[in-house]
């Protein structure tokens, strides 16, 4: 757990509740946390889902690993410590979006169970819905896709600590949704995600 450094700070309660914000948007804010190996399809599926949700008049926003590392988390690398801080910060940001009533779609490899569990707890403590989505496929399939050539570089030793090659991926044991992208098309995955949102009663206030 990250240490609280600031002192003399007091939480200032607002006058608008999460439920009221949900009501005004006609949906329930939630985080959809997409975890999985690089090239498993997290970003591709997130982009497609965001588009479908917006077409349905829902309010969704994508938080994407590489994009966040261009800004908010540009000062973090890929050590275990920096990965943990990367996920902690984005977990907090996603929780804020979700608390605001948005369907926040976060796509991050997030390889360590402890880091993902911490994000889940942040949401639970705030009374905000958290849906863990395991974007799964065999490593060989991820390597054969390799859209950014990263596995090739990792195999050549040009990238150290690459998840699945020389850094572990700890698969979720109890995700809310398990997508097997070597067996499901992008459209299948989007359909499954929409069903999951529906089943969890998140598409209405
Ligand atoms: P990640 O965000 O997990 O690193 P990306 O979405 O960037 O993965 O890359 C996944 C690649 O795999 C894309 O080039 C995508 O077009 C391709 N792909 C092939 N089949 C699928 C599928 N069934 N689901 C998702 N992506 C797929």
């Amino acid at each position: 757990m990250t240490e609280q450094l600031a002192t003399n700070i007091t939480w200032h309660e607002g006058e608008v509740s999460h439920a009221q914000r949900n009501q005004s948007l006609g949906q329930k804010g939630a985080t959809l946390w997409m975890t999985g190996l690089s090239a498993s399809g997290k970003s591709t599926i997130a982009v497609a889902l965001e588009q479908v949700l917006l077409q349905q008049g829902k309010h969704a926003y994508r938080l994407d690993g590489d994009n966040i590392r261009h800004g908010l988390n540009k000062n973090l690398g890929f050590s275990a410590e920096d990965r943990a801080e990367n996920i902690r910060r984005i977990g907090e940001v996603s929780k804020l979006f979700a608390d605001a009533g948005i369907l926040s779609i976060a796509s991050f490899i997030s390889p360590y169970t402890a880091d993902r569990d911490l994000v889940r707890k942040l949401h639970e403590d705030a009374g905000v819905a958290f849906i863990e989505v395991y974007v799964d496929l065999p490593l060989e399939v991820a390597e054969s896709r390799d859209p950014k050539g990263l596995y090739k570089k990792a195999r050549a030793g040009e990238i150290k600590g690459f998840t699945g090659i020389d850094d572990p991926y700890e698969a979720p044991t109890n995700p809310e949704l398990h997508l097997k992208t070597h067996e499901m098309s992008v459209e299948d995955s989007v359909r499954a995600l929409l069903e999951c949102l529906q089943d969890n009663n998140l598409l209405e206030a």
Side-chain angles (χ1 to χ4, degrees):
M1 196 53 98
T2 306
E3 194 189 345
Q4 171 79 54
L5 294 180
T7 54
N8 297 315
I9 51 168
T10 311
W11 186 270
H12 197 130
E13 207 54 65
E15 305 233 328
V16 181
S17 69
H18 177 50
Q20 285 170 312
R21 278 190 286 267
N22 285 343
Q23 205 70 46
S24 82
L25 291 177
Q27 62 183 46
K28 292 195 188 76
T31 287
L32 296 181
W33 190 273
M34 319 269 281
T35 170
L37 291 172
S38 179
S40 57
K42 301 178 295 299
S43 300
T44 303
I45 295 166
V47 166
L49 176 67
E50 184 186 34
Q51 206 172 24
V52 171
L53 284 169
L54 262 68
Q55 279 162 0
Q56 295 187 0
K58 299 298 168 196
H59 307 270
Y61 192 75
R62 233 167 17 85
L63 301 168
D64 188 276
D66 278 10
N67 297 1
I68 296 290
R69 282 180 178 278
H70 276 95
L72 176 68
N73 288 354
K74 70 192 323 182
N75 62 334
L76 299 176
F78 290 92
S79 66
E81 196 182 40
D82 278 7
R83 280 181 193 267
E85 178 61 9
N86 183 48
I87 297 307
R88 188 191 70 80
R89 284 188 202 169
I90 202 59
E92 292 280 6
V93 171
S94 191
K95 184 191 73 179
L96 292 177
F97 272 87
D99 187 41
I102 304 296
L103 293 162
S104 175
I105 312 166
S107 339
F108 294 81
I109 298 174
S110 44
Y112 308 137
T113 305
D115 296 342
R116 295 192 304 265
D117 285 352
L118 186 134
V119 176
R120 181 184 288 277
K121 185 163 186 321
L122 287 178
H123 285 73
E124 283 173 358
D125 289 351
V128 173
F130 180 80
I131 306 275
E132 187 176 35
V133 182
Y134 179 20
V135 186
D136 183 19
L137 82 178
L139 177 63
E140 311 80 78
V141 181
E143 271 199 87
S144 70
R145 288 184 185 167
D146 207 9
K148 300 175 200 148
L150 298 177
Y151 284 100
K152 196 158 170 250
K153 280 191 183 168
R155 288 287 184 201
E158 291 165 25
I159 305 178
K160 299 282 179 219
F162 195 75
T163 300
I165 305 298
D166 57 352
D167 212 62
Y169 178 77
E170 299 169 1
T173 48
N174 205 12
E176 277 74 13
L177 187 64
H178 188 162
L179 303 173
K180 298 182 178 176
T181 68
H182 52 300
E183 294 170 356
M184 298 166 75
S185 67
V186 175
E187 293 72 26
D188 291 337
S189 291
V190 170
R191 215 171 296 123
L193 279 156
L194 288 171
E195 266 173 36
C196 179
L197 289 172
Q198 198 90 55
D199 291 347
N200 283 278
N201 216 14
L202 296 170
L203 295 179
E204 53 203 53

